[in-house]
Amino acid sequence: MISIKMQEAINAQINAEMWSAYLYLAMSMDAEDKCLKGMAHWFHKQYEEEMEHAFKFVGYLQAQQAKVILHPIAEVPATWQSALAMFELTLEHEKKVTRLIHALCTLAINEKDYATQSLLQWFVNEQVEEVNTAHDIVETLRRIGNDQYHLYEYDHSLGKR
Ligand code: MG
């Protein structure tokens, strides 16, 4: 009981979540190269979380007897200028994902698709948290600036995620 339009939009979102996972995996690799082990761990957790988001949508489509289509995943960058650059992009990206989730909500409302609206409520709340977390890290890294000692300390604390 889910429209073709809604199925296509959710399939596109599965791709967006997997692209996010791929982006954070690349950041994890780059943080490792920069010897920021805590951040490498943090981004790896973020990668795992994005895959969970993708599979939440996969499971939902399957429960609705709808077809899951895995589209190609576009290339992601490999290197960033700094830790701050990585988290600034994370913040921008999470704001973009929030807009995608909200667009899905609008579609589900227009389609009078109550089950999808219910599923999406979880994602709406999740995005508030994602944007807030990224925002806090960006602000902290801006305050740290070029202070290598505090960057080292903060990297260590992010590794505890
Ligand atoms: Mg996500």
Side-chain angles (χ1 to χ4, degrees):
M1 286 295 284
I2 178 170
S3 72
I4 294 293
K5 214 169 159 182
M6 199 74 242
Q7 286 181 44
E8 283 171 355
I10 293 173
N11 273 310
Q13 190 61 32
I14 289 169
N15 187 265
E17 299 290 346
M18 287 194 176
W19 190 85
S20 301
Y22 213 41
L23 175 70
Y24 295 135
L25 186 60
M27 287 182 179
S28 176
M29 304 292 140
D30 196 41
E32 189 75 40
D33 292 345
K34 290 174 164 61
C35 211
L36 294 163
K37 305 273 181 188
M39 290 182 197
H41 172 82
W42 193 95
F43 280 117
H44 202 278
K45 285 276 173 205
Q46 193 70 10
Y47 151 75
E48 289 167 24
E49 220 180 87
E50 296 307 333
M51 288 306 288
E52 282 169 24
H53 294 168
F55 279 99
K56 224 179 233 291
F57 282 118
V58 166
Y60 176 72
L61 284 184
Q62 288 172 334
Q64 292 273 27
Q65 291 85 46
K67 185 72 186 157
V68 175
I69 296 160
L70 299 176
H71 299 293
I73 299 170
E75 196 174 356
V76 292
T79 52
W80 284 267
Q81 282 267 322
S82 61
L84 177 60
M86 281 189 230
F87 280 100
E88 280 174 339
L89 181 59
T90 298
L91 177 59
E92 282 319 300
H93 182 63
E94 289 303 329
K95 284 181 184 172
K96 187 185 151 197
V97 174
T98 299
R99 289 192 290 272
L100 292 176
I101 295 291
H102 290 179
L104 282 177
C105 289
T106 304
L107 180 61
I109 289 164
N110 292 343
E111 299 273 307
K112 296 187 171 61
D113 182 339
Y114 303 111
T116 303
Q117 286 176 41
S118 170
L119 169 84
L120 288 171
Q121 207 51 56
W122 184 90
F123 283 93
V124 169
N125 297 331
E126 174 70 10
Q127 283 310 120
V128 172
E129 210 185 293
E130 296 276 32
V131 170
N132 187 43
T133 303
H135 171 267
D136 287 354
I137 297 174
V138 165
E139 285 307 311
T140 306
L141 286 172
R142 279 185 187 151
R143 246 177 286 139
I144 289 171
N146 286 324
D147 181 339
Q148 292 304 308
Y149 175 74
H150 284 103
L151 180 62
Y152 175 83
E153 290 283 292
Y154 190 52
D155 179 62
H156 187 73
S157 79
L158 287 176
K160 293 188 177 128
R161 179 184 179 180

